[in-house]
Amino acid sequence: MLSSAAICTIVRRALANAGLNPAHKGAHLLRHSVATQMLRQGASLTEIGEILRHRNPQTTMIYAKVDLDLLRPLALPWPGGAQ
C-alpha cells in the first residue's frame, strides 16, 4: 500500500508531465475531483462523506458550494421581468 506522500508525489509528477498547474495538487486533487463528480451525478453529501471516509459530516460540507452552472437551468424568471 502506498503512503499518502507517495500518492502526492505521483499526482504532482503526472500534473507536471501533463503541463498542468492547478491550485491544489496531490491526493487532495483526486479526492476533490471524485467528490465533485459524485455531487454532480446526484450523490448525497452523506454518500460522499462515506466514500472519502470523513469522520465529521462538516468536513464533507466543503463540497456543498454553489455551482451556478448547475443551478442556472433551474432558475425561474424574475416576477415582472428582468431588473
Side-chain angles (χ1 to χ4, degrees), residues 3-79:
S3 69
S4 60
I7 292 170
C8 286
T9 300
I10 292 167
V11 172
R12 287 174 193 260
R13 191 173 297 144
L15 289 169
N17 289 342
L20 300 173
N21 188 23
H24 297 285
K25 297 173 181 68
H28 175 78
L29 178 64
L30 297 178
R31 293 172 59 82
H32 186 80
S33 297
V34 166
T36 301
Q37 274 304 108
M38 288 179 69
L39 190 60
R40 287 184 176 162
Q41 293 177 7
S44 70
L45 290 175
T46 301
E47 292 169 322
I48 294 168
E50 288 174 6
I51 294 294
L52 297 180
R53 295 183 178 181
H54 289 159
R55 291 182 186 157
N56 185 335
Q58 291 297 102
T59 305
T60 313
M61 292 300 292
I62 64 169
Y63 301 108
K65 297 179 202 171
V66 175
D67 187 332
L68 295 179
D69 290 333
L70 288 176
L71 291 176
R72 198 166 277 119
L74 303 175
L76 298 173
W78 190 258

